[in-house]
Amino acid sequence: MVLSKMKRKLFPLLVGGVFCVVVMSLYRMLEMMQGAELQHLEAPAGQDFYRLQQQIDKLERLLSANNRLVVTLRDSLLHRQAPQGGGGAVNVSAGSAHSPADAPPGCRLAQGMKGRADGVQLLDVYNLLPFDNADGGAWKQGFEISYRGNEWDEQPLEVLLVPHSHNDPGWLKTFENYYQDQTRHILNNMLIKLTEDSRRKMIWAEISYFSKWWNDIDEQKREMVKRLVGAGQLELVTGGWVMADEANSHYFALLDQLIEGHQWIQRHLGVRPRSGWAVDPFGHSPSMAYLLKGAGLSNMVIQRVHYAVKKHFAQQQTLEFLWRQSWDSSPRSDITCHMMPFYSYDVPHTCGPNPAVCCQFDFHRLPGGRAMCPWKKSPQPITEQNVQERALLLLDQYRQKSRLFRSHVLLVPLGDDFRFVEASEWDAQSGNYQKLFDYFDQHPELHVKARFGTLSDYFEALHRRLDAMGTALPALRGDFFTYADRDDHYWSGYFTSRPFYKRLDRTLEATLRATEILFSLALAEMRRFRGDGLLVADFPVREHFRRLTAGRRSLALFQHHDGITGTSRDPVVGNVMFNRTLLPFRSLIIFNPTEQLRSSVISVVVDSPDADVVDATTGQPMAAQISAVWAEPTQASTEQFQLLSLNLESNQDKSGAYLFLPGEEGLYSSSEPPLVRVSRGPVFSDITSCFRHFTHTVRLLSAPGHAGRSLEISNMVDIRSEFNRELVMRLVSDVANGNRFYSDLNGFQMQQRRTLQKLPLQANFYPMTSAAFLQDATSRMSLLSAQSQAVASLRPGELEVVLDRRLQQDDNRGLGQGVTDNKLTASLYHLLLEDRRGGAEVRGRGSVKCGGKQHQHDIFSSVEHMSLLAHLTSLSLNHLPITMVAPSDSQVPKLRPFLPLRSSLPCDVHLLNLRTLEDSQESDSPSQEVALLLHRKGFDCSSAPQAPLQCTWSAQEEVDTHIHVIIINVNCKVVKMTYVIHVMYITSYIKYSSLQVDLDRLFSPLRFHSVRRSGLTLLREDDQPESARQPAPPHVARLRPMEISAFRVEVA
Ligand SMILES: [Zn+2]
């Protein structure tokens, strides 16, 4: 449902007539992915020997051409790699590293952030953990916890019981059905029950549901909600549109759904979220911690962490820590994080280590109801007769759990999925718990205080206690992938499950971003045009803004941890249908949505081979290449890439939507002979290999700038005919990376990975949102990806990504089905080979304490950044030029280039978004305020490119004029055949000043009334009282490497 909803909302996303065309092109592309059927060249009949001979000859010729092309491609890459004047050598000697003095400033700063050794490094923890899965007794994955009983004599135990209800916006049911059947009742009852008794509390995370409910309730109820929020009885935690997945989601979308939620909360409730709550995402990313901190949150809770890591952290009393970004040398990014110690977030796993006991304190499972305890001991209603025995039983669990933490404040969540649907559940939980709390109050000798609380109540108490004790929490760096909940059940399957939608998500994201930027610029242009700050009268601005909001919310909803993960039921996923339409067109409008000058190949389907391309402004012909749209595939293989599949033949537990439990690994084999298709031309050359289950294309663009420096790889995968199969693309190189490789987290940062033999194969797969690389001292191989997938480096020099999975069975994580709704699925990458100049790997020795023993280990630089070239390549790959087709010349008579940016941004600065904010008075209307989000990337110095890039990082470099939108005409006659025209358009470039971004110069001719730095979700109270309020420019913004900066700008 998430996606069928998305389909309905895709259209409202459009801004203005021109954008219809954007999405129609998008539809067309996707429809082509869907509609095209793989056709196989039939094996020649045995009697037709002559035809067979002909085919073999043809094949030989093609293979020979293929080999020549491979050699050409390789030479071409090596040539690009070679140092200037250094001949053609591949390997460049180590030790010629950039000296800090000649490194670009951003590089120097990023370098300074590398290899920090303070605090706990999760990579080191992984190195020393035995992963032996020992039986811990009552707490199966942990250990026996002991206490004397006098630990709390001085400082009593302070228990905060936090009622919560986990509401998936789509999983087994659709968002709408969950809302109607459960969620609205939960919120209605919450309103009544919290109002009845001021001691009751509740937290709520999903603003998608909350805002829907808000629309349904009357003004009186809204006032009641505001009172509850004001009184601290109801707390909105995290405040995102959804509880987002943290593995597959890109940081653009993660932040966007957070902005959408926070803006809603500010507008309707006038408060801000202070604590994060992520109990169900399948693994946790520091990128999320960074965004929450940047959005003004001080604390966060996480839950789904590998059971062995939980156990280790419990032993070390490090379940509460300051989560620090790996690259941050300061505590600026620190956020207090609480990791739940036990198996789950339900009541049996939150009161203490023994689920059989804790379940007896889930009063929703009282005998006679629908829910039961699987441990055979049911809860009992608390009475005068049993209160002492029950209170002491519960206190024992609280005390045991408390021993895992440094302070005497204890967080005890009380809830589960879709809880508190009925009023009676409120009465059962709060009534019985209140009796237990009262009993504790009446027995001061027990040294315990317990009450209902919100998450912020807990963290306030925690910080008070820690301050009083003079205790600081340890700092921790790293991430919590790959999650295992028990045994060898690693949740790496969902890194790839339903790859069609993961690709679609990224396409929608890029379209939304481009639309946001164009919309903001269009409004500003109109205001400027009139000169009085008002919009052109007949412009349907509210209509467009509503559609834009719908687009934002569709993307946001899909970031849910059962959305982009591919772990919801088939009817929830829905079907996205596309109709193929061929438009009679003549003019193309191309929008470059990046902040950089770029050269791109634009591919257009036309109906005649007799076509040429003319620059609309100059009338000059442009370089173009015409190639056929292939009706029949040919087949080929390249020397560098092999494809293989993993068969699932074990009788044991099998892979499903969440889990990856591979059987035997085998090379892909095909009974049909390999056939090759080679294209050569002035714009690009490529090799396409067509196998039964996939088409694999490797393409080299003959383009200036970074576009021509990498190999483009695309796959079209179809495993619908298969049974329990997972298809993997493996890249084999001679990079001596040992067992280390790097994969990105949410497109925001790189994380070192170590392939560990002590872990099963599926544990060595990690999420790759947009990039992965292997490196040794002299070279680096980066794979940049346009979709999220699972990645691993199982052997030195190898990198593999899981392309698709078709799984017939459920994996017992609640979904109740396999994944068999596979589609014809495209995946797209760029492969980049770069020299490194002296990338020393080991940076010294360190030690880690475990089980009372001190372990020595090498300190590696755990932080690496992508090179500038890789950043630019990734940017181009994820933000393809947007081609809009105008119906005819006559209807768009006066097209001319539109140049909103005066200059390219520096190489390392990304215009993350230019997002129009809603008017504070008038809902559904845009304000004059725009959220300007700039991300300054950290980049690697050791692989700085020899040839200068087209953008610049230094204050002095100068370039020419930047053209951001270019218009060309395609002239073609109408005949029956369908052809593709590949149009190359080249823009020239511009001037840029410094790392201090001068915002006025940047957006010239636009002018900013004001520029105020704000929090990442643009909450008003985060706005810095700012010099930029002053009317006179310049409005200069300082940007730190790795950091995202948010500005509230008023466009004149
Ligand atoms: Zn969930």
Side-chain angles (χ1 to χ4, degrees):
M1 193 57 193
V2 174
L3 273 158
S4 48
K5 194 174 198 72
M6 188 179 280
K7 186 214 167 188
R8 281 202 306 277
K9 287 184 174 177
L10 254 174
F11 266 101
L13 174 78
L14 314 181
V15 178
V18 286
F19 251 87
C20 278
V21 189
V22 174
V23 171
M24 285 174 85
S25 320
L26 182 68
Y27 273 14
R28 170 101 63 80
M29 182 191 79
L30 293 164
E31 165 265 315
M32 288 195 310
M33 293 179 194
Q34 278 285 81
E37 285 296 324
L38 279 183
Q39 294 178 30
H40 318 297
L41 205 72
E42 284 186 14
Q47 65 270 29
D48 197 345
F49 181 78
Y50 177 71
R51 254 185 65 202
L52 179 62
Q53 186 62 48
Q54 267 193 325
Q55 291 230 347
I56 291 171
D57 289 346
K58 190 175 143 205
L59 194 62
E60 274 178 1
R61 284 196 304 276
L62 283 168
L63 272 173
S64 150
N66 173 18
N67 286 341
R68 283 199 304 276
L69 187 57
V70 167
V71 169
T72 313
L73 294 179
R74 192 174 53 205
D75 288 349
S76 154
L77 278 174
L78 293 182
H79 180 70
R80 287 187 167 88
Q81 272 199 325
Q84 283 175 332
V90 186
N91 292 329
V92 175
S93 64
S96 59
H98 278 275
S99 68
D102 68 357
C107 171
R108 279 204 302 275
L109 286 162
Q111 197 74 23
M113 295 172 163
K114 283 176 151 194
R116 306 291 305 179
D118 57 326
V120 179
Q121 268 285 4
L122 270 162
L123 278 170
D124 300 330
V125 173
Y126 259 70
N127 263 3
L128 59 89
L129 287 183
F131 295 99
D132 54 357
N133 198 12
D135 191 336
W139 176 19
K140 206 167 178 318
Q141 298 172 328
F143 46 89
E144 297 289 344
I145 306 168
S146 60
Y147 60 87
R148 298 185 304 277
N150 62 357
E151 286 89 343
W152 299 274
D153 287 1
E154 300 290 309
Q155 287 277 338
L157 184 62
E158 188 178 350
V159 181
L160 275 299
L161 204 65
V162 179
H164 68 100
S165 178
H166 178 70
N167 283 253
D168 291 310
W171 182 42
L172 306 179
K173 296 185 194 179
T174 61
F175 177 81
E176 186 65 32
N177 287 351
Y178 270 136
Y179 177 76
Q180 294 300 340
D181 296 352
Q182 281 125 311
T183 308
R184 66 193 177 101
H185 303 298
I186 298 169
L187 288 165
N188 285 333
N189 283 321
M190 175 275 296
L191 201 54
I192 296 163
K193 292 296 167 182
L194 293 192
T195 309
E196 269 178 22
D197 186 340
S198 62
R199 293 172 299 182
R200 292 176 185 160
K201 307 253 180 162
M202 195 183 196
I203 60 170
W204 191 269
E206 301 84 6
I207 303 305
S208 46
Y209 276 130
F210 202 86
S211 62
K212 184 173 173 58
W213 175 67
W214 182 267
N215 291 340
D216 282 356
I217 59 175
D218 58 27
E219 206 46 53
Q220 188 192 352
K221 285 184 176 165
R222 290 178 181 178
E223 287 305 317
M224 286 167 72
V225 174
K226 286 182 198 168
R227 272 201 299 278
L228 291 173
V229 169
Q233 278 183 267
L234 172 64
E235 182 185 13
L236 295 174
V237 287
T238 309
W241 202 246
V242 295
M243 186 184 288
D245 169 50
E246 300 180 26
N248 305 289
S249 49
H250 192 271
Y251 76 102
F252 171 90
L254 278 179
L255 179 55
D256 211 58
Q257 64 89 26
L258 206 56
I259 293 174
E260 195 61 24
H262 282 198
Q263 290 288 315
W264 188 93
I265 293 171
Q266 176 179 262
R267 181 181 187 86
H268 295 96
L269 299 171
V271 296
R272 63 172 317 149
R274 288 181 291 162
S275 301
W277 177 255
V279 292
D280 204 22
F282 325 135
H284 295 282
S285 165
S287 310
M288 194 66 194
Y290 175 81
L291 296 176
L292 293 179
K293 177 68 189 252
L297 280 74
S298 314
N299 315 290
M300 62 188 290
V301 169
I302 58 173
Q303 147 61 21
R304 290 199 185 269
V305 170
H306 194 301
Y307 59 89
V309 175
K310 286 190 172 204
K311 179 181 174 179
H312 175 76
F313 276 38
Q315 284 164 334
Q316 304 288 316
Q317 285 192 328
T318 50
L319 288 164
E320 287 181 328
F321 52 86
L322 299 172
W323 202 346
R324 186 168 292 177
Q325 298 301 308
S326 301
W327 42 266
D328 200 345
S329 53
S330 75
R332 198 166 36 233
S333 64
D334 288 6
I335 180 167
T336 302
C337 183
H338 171 103
M339 181 194 298
M340 292 192 191
F342 309 121
Y343 174 76
S344 170
Y345 53 84
D346 60 9
V347 183
H349 298 94
T350 46
C351 97
N354 191 337
V357 174
C358 287
C359 196
Q360 298 171 51
F361 294 90
D362 184 355
F363 298 102
H364 180 55
R365 307 192 202 213
L366 283 168
R370 266 170 288 169
M372 296 171 54
C373 283
W375 293 270
K376 294 184 182 144
K377 283 186 183 165
S378 294
Q380 309 164 20
I382 305 300
T383 62
E384 274 186 37
Q385 288 70 43
N386 70 9
V387 65
Q388 179 180 18
E389 179 266 333
R390 294 277 102 186
L392 293 179
L393 185 64
L394 181 60
L395 179 59
D396 173 55
Q397 289 298 309
Y398 286 168
R399 286 178 163 185
Q400 289 190 48
K401 184 176 179 182
S402 168
R403 297 298 293 149
L404 309 179
F405 295 91
R406 297 187 181 192
S407 88
H408 287 179
V409 190
L410 191 65
L411 173 64
V412 181
L414 178 75
D416 205 339
D417 293 3
F418 295 97
R419 278 303 187 90
F420 300 102
V421 176
E422 286 149 15
S424 58
E425 185 176 351
W426 273 104
D427 297 334
Q429 301 285 27
S430 60
N432 285 299
Y433 268 107
Q434 200 57 54
K435 288 177 191 162
L436 293 163
F437 298 164
D438 293 345
Y439 180 85
F440 292 145
D441 280 344
Q442 290 150 13
H443 293 82
E445 73 280 7
L446 296 177
H447 302 286
V448 58
K449 291 260 175 217
R451 61 185 165 101
F452 291 113
T454 61
L455 203 50
S456 289
D457 289 341
Y458 169 73
F459 281 111
E460 267 168 37
L462 171 69
H463 289 302
R464 223 171 21 240
R465 285 288 185 103
L466 290 174
D467 288 349
M469 291 155 65
T471 302
L473 295 175
L476 175 135
R477 297 165 189 272
D479 71 330
F480 296 101
F481 293 113
T482 291
Y483 171 57
D485 58 348
R486 57 176 184 256
D487 307 320
D488 61 352
H489 291 190
Y490 284 82
W491 295 44
S492 46
Y494 83 96
F495 299 156
T496 293
S497 292
R498 290 178 168 134
F500 177 87
Y501 295 102
K502 287 179 165 69
R503 177 88 190 92
L504 183 65
D505 168 78
R506 203 60 60 78
T507 311
L508 177 61
E509 191 176 299
T511 310
L512 177 63
R513 176 180 165 278
T515 310
E516 294 276 10
I517 292 169
L518 273 186
F519 182 73
S520 297
L521 292 174
L523 289 194
E525 273 293 298
M526 268 187 277
R527 291 196 177 101
R528 199 173 64 88
F529 178 74
R530 280 185 51 123
D532 57 2
L534 298 174
L535 295 173
V536 179
D538 60 350
F539 184 69
V541 63
R542 287 180 62 135
E543 174 74 7
H544 289 330
F545 191 70
R546 259 203 305 276
R547 289 175 171 186
L548 189 57
T549 304
R552 291 169 177 175
R553 292 180 176 181
S554 295
L555 181 71
L557 197 61
F558 197 56
Q559 305 312 306
H560 161 49
H561 57 264
D562 294 308
I564 190 170
T565 51
T567 56
S568 53
R569 285 226 174 121
D570 292 347
V572 180
V573 174
N575 281 314
V576 187
M577 306 292 288
F578 301 99
N579 295 317
R580 185 170 191 160
T581 42
L582 266 173
L583 288 174
F585 60 83
R586 298 219 174 266
S587 296
L588 290 181
I589 302 166
I590 295 166
F591 175 55
N592 168 14
T594 72
E595 62 280 351
Q596 298 297 340
L597 161 77
R598 70 196 290 189
S599 305
S600 304
V601 173
I602 307 292
S603 184
V604 185
V605 178
V606 294
D607 52 10
S608 163
D610 187 16
D612 55 22
V613 185
V614 178
D615 187 322
T617 46
T618 64
Q620 294 298 308
M622 300 181 74
Q625 175 176 339
I626 296 187
S627 54
V629 170
W630 295 85
E632 288 195 5
T634 52
Q635 302 185 344
S637 65
T638 72
E639 289 176 344
Q640 260 187 313
F641 315 113
Q642 291 178 316
L643 283 120
L644 35 90
S645 67
L646 297 166
N647 295 324
L648 304 173
E649 285 163 358
S650 116
N651 291 324
Q652 311 258 311
D653 296 313
K654 289 179 178 173
S655 293
Y658 304 93
L659 305 186
F660 180 29
L661 288 162
E664 283 184 21
E665 188 181 314
L667 267 173
Y668 184 85
S669 62
S670 174
S671 54
E672 296 160 35
L675 293 168
V676 179
R677 187 173 74 213
V678 178
S679 305
R680 305 182 81 166
V683 176
F684 73 84
S685 298
D686 68 16
I687 306 169
T688 299
S689 325
C690 302
F691 292 83
R692 189 167 155 232
H693 297 102
F694 56 89
T695 306
H696 176 71
T697 302
V698 180
R699 174 174 291 186
L700 186 65
L701 304 180
S702 169
H706 61 267
R709 295 201 200 177
S710 52
L711 271 183
E712 182 186 289
I713 300 173
S714 55
N715 297 310
M716 190 63 80
V717 171
D718 185 358
I719 55 169
R720 285 176 287 188
S721 60
E722 292 303 296
F723 184 84
N724 272 342
R725 194 156 297 250
E726 291 167 306
L727 191 69
V728 172
M729 177 176 77
R730 175 177 296 166
L731 308 179
V732 182
S733 75
D734 58 1
V735 177
N737 63 305
N739 72 336
R740 284 191 304 284
F741 73 109
Y742 296 80
S743 60
D744 74 320
L745 288 164
N746 317 96
F748 179 66
Q749 55 187 321
M750 298 306 297
Q751 173 67 49
Q752 190 190 117
R753 306 296 182 192
R754 292 177 196 164
T755 304
L756 298 174
Q757 296 305 322
K758 64 185 172 186
L759 295 177
L761 182 134
Q762 63 270 26
N764 285 305
F765 277 83
Y766 289 95
M768 173 181 69
T769 315
S770 68
F773 62 75
L774 306 176
Q775 67 181 21
D776 56 26
T778 58
S779 57
R780 177 186 281 191
M781 179 175 83
S782 305
L783 184 69
L784 306 161
S785 159
Q787 61 284 313
S788 293
Q789 276 159 326
V791 67
S793 174
L794 298 178
R795 282 168 286 273
E798 295 185 4
L799 199 60
E800 50 204 272
V801 291
V802 183
L803 297 177
D804 200 0
R805 359 184 23 236
R806 184 171 176 83
L807 308 155
Q808 259 65 19
Q809 59 284 314
D810 183 42
D811 51 8
N812 300 312
R813 292 305 184 279
L815 187 58
Q817 62 158 71
V819 182
T820 54
D821 57 345
N822 303 67
K823 298 183 185 307
L824 186 59
T825 298
S827 54
L828 182 64
Y829 315 85
H830 275 245
L831 184 69
L832 192 60
L833 303 173
E834 291 173 285
D835 292 341
R836 297 188 76 227
R837 305 178 208 172
E841 290 292 300
V842 181
R843 290 173 185 265
R845 297 280 292 169
S847 65
V848 173
K849 199 173 161 190
C850 179
K853 274 189 281 184
Q854 209 71 21
H855 296 256
Q856 294 290 317
H857 63 97
D858 289 335
I859 297 173
F860 292 95
S861 166
S862 59
V863 183
E864 292 288 353
H865 302 291
M866 296 207 302
S867 67
L868 275 178
L869 184 56
H871 277 307
L872 293 173
T873 307
S874 176
L875 181 75
S876 299
L877 177 64
N878 280 286
H879 299 281
L880 299 174
I882 290 176
T883 310
M884 290 166 269
V885 185
S888 77
D889 284 332
S890 59
Q891 284 178 269
V892 274
K894 287 178 185 169
L895 288 179
R896 58 191 170 83
F898 173 52
L899 311 170
L901 271 189
R902 181 161 162 169
S903 69
S904 270
L905 294 190
C907 289
D908 54 343
V909 175
H910 174 48
L911 174 62
L912 186 59
N913 209 344
L914 193 63
R915 188 189 204 267
T916 297
L917 294 167
E918 192 178 18
D919 192 276
S920 59
Q921 307 300 320
E922 202 180 341
S923 61
D924 285 340
S925 284
S927 67
Q928 290 202 22
E929 289 185 322
V930 177
L932 170 64
L933 295 163
L934 295 173
H935 179 204
R936 186 165 172 216
K937 310 228 170 187
F939 59 92
D940 184 60
C941 305
S942 57
S943 47
Q946 286 86 38
L949 291 164
Q950 291 172 324
C951 56
T952 172
W953 55 73
S954 85
Q956 284 77 36
E957 284 198 53
E958 287 209 345
V959 277
D960 329 323
T961 329
H962 186 121
I963 299 172
H964 246 243
V965 180
I966 218 170
I967 298 153
I968 51 179
N969 288 338
V970 177
N971 301 314
C972 51
K973 295 177 204 155
V974 180
V975 292
K976 279 178 189 165
M977 287 180 69
T978 306
Y979 283 82
V980 184
I981 293 195
H982 299 274
V983 179
M984 164 103 63
Y985 80 95
I986 302 163
T987 53
S988 49
Y989 28 151
I990 242 218
K991 178 177 281 193
Y992 175 68
S993 42
S994 86
L995 290 167
Q996 289 189 9
V997 178
D998 179 344
L999 299 170
D1000 293 304
R1001 287 168 54 88
L1002 194 65
F1003 288 97
S1004 171
L1006 297 182
R1007 284 274 173 261
F1008 295 134
H1009 255 323
S1010 68
V1011 179
R1012 277 165 292 167
R1013 194 179 272 271
S1014 187
L1016 291 185
T1017 53
L1018 286 298
L1019 295 178
R1020 288 200 174 276
E1021 56 203 281
D1022 287 337
D1023 288 353
Q1024 290 181 4
E1026 202 261 338
S1027 54
R1029 258 291 174 194
Q1030 60 188 259
H1035 299 129
V1036 174
R1038 276 202 158 276
L1039 306 174
R1040 277 191 295 266
M1042 289 305 295
E1043 303 255 18
I1044 303 170
S1045 300
F1047 303 90
R1048 182 190 298 276
V1049 299
E1050 245 180 80
V1051 185

